[in-house]
Amino acid sequence: MPMWLQALMWGTVAGGALVLGSAVAWLWRIPSKWVSTVMAFGAGVLISALAFELVDDAVEGGGLLPTVGGFLAGALLFVGSNVLLSRAGAKHRKRSGDRQPTEGDTPGSGTAIAIGALIDGIPESVVLGLGLLTAGTVSPAMLAAVFISNVPEGLSSTAGMKKAGRSPAYVFGTWTGIAMFCGLASLLGYAALETAPAELIAFITAVAAGGILAMLADTMIPGAFEEHHNLTGFTAAVGFLTAFTIHRVGG
């Protein structure tokens, strides 16, 4: 299978986990504590992946300076975008409770939530395509991390959307569209940087890592702690160790 097609396929598969989580939350009422437990686990998985799969690889491939610069740029880009989206009603887009606003409460919040979810998913997908460039194959640990973290993200967000009165067309249209964009982002990460120097690849990889960490701190972890409380840290630690084990075994 051509590399560009693999990039498109794996990005779409990882993004499809959002649709899977969304379908589960729409069809069944999942207790909020269960949702937050899986969210905390997914956060731990992503923390491990960005540390051992992204930042470490970026430093080894392109050096410390591009990595540090890219990481800070990614964090700033996400935080800035998140501030703007929060003002438009997307602050609690990953919450499964009653915190998400209805369209009547905050006009335009539906669009803001959809854009926010897209911004959350793009960095994770880009690095899947970049992994094909640097290693010649998709990283099992990174793919597992993105997929595992996307399931609770789709589950929790959809539970909140459902309580806010969003329509099925909006919910599944949003997640299906984002899954497709994830595939395209992975393809772009591979195709656009195929001949790029190692320093630029390291910078872009670190941008994604910084954005992911900022996203975890701003959205996933607060959403997990809202219901999970005292066990949030332990569950995240288990997720971290799970991803680290996959990294070691797969490497």
Side-chain angles (χ1 to χ4, degrees):
M1 183 184 297
M3 285 291 191
W4 67 267
L5 188 56
Q6 288 188 46
L8 178 64
M9 178 186 71
W10 290 123
T12 305
V13 167
L18 293 164
V19 182
L20 175 61
S22 177
V24 170
W26 191 265
L27 294 173
W28 295 284
R29 180 179 173 81
I30 310 298
S32 296
K33 195 169 290 292
W34 291 14
V35 175
S36 61
T37 298
V38 183
M39 183 76 82
F41 181 86
V45 166
L46 273 183
I47 291 171
S48 177
L50 72 88
F52 297 106
E53 292 288 325
L54 301 184
V55 176
D56 192 50
D57 287 352
V59 170
E60 290 184 5
L64 181 62
L65 189 58
T67 302
V68 170
F71 195 91
L72 290 174
L76 286 171
L77 281 171
F78 178 86
V79 170
S81 301
N82 196 49
V83 167
L84 294 176
L85 289 167
S86 295
R87 292 173 180 172
K91 181 177 182 179
H92 301 296
R93 60 185 177 274
K94 284 186 171 63
R95 304 295 177 93
S96 61
D98 299 319
R99 306 280 298 274
Q100 288 192 30
T102 66
E103 197 65 25
D105 293 333
T106 308
S109 58
T111 300
I113 289 169
I115 294 173
L118 180 61
I119 291 174
D120 294 341
I122 284 178
E124 303 165 0
S125 303
V126 168
V127 296
L128 292 176
L130 286 173
L132 287 168
L133 277 179
T134 56
T137 183
V138 69
S139 165
M142 193 64 210
L143 179 62
V146 176
F147 191 93
I148 291 171
S149 64
N150 276 348
V151 171
E153 182 177 340
L155 198 158
S156 181
S157 296
T158 298
M161 291 175 185
K162 190 175 180 180
K163 290 179 180 178
R166 305 288 177 184
S167 68
Y170 169 84
V171 172
F172 291 104
T174 295
W175 294 120
T176 301
I178 291 172
M180 295 173 65
F181 270 109
C182 286
L184 292 174
S186 180
L187 174 60
L188 182 64
Y190 174 81
L193 299 170
E194 190 171 5
T195 58
E199 291 80 7
L200 180 57
I201 292 176
F203 181 84
I204 298 298
T205 301
V207 167
I212 291 170
L213 184 58
M215 180 272 290
L216 290 171
D218 279 0
T219 60
M220 281 190 74
I221 293 174
F225 185 78
E226 184 178 36
E227 293 291 339
H228 205 45
H229 299 303
N230 293 335
L231 288 179
T232 301
F234 177 76
T235 307
V238 173
F240 181 97
L241 287 175
T242 299
F244 178 70
T245 301
I246 294 173
H247 167 76
R248 296 295 296 180
V249 173

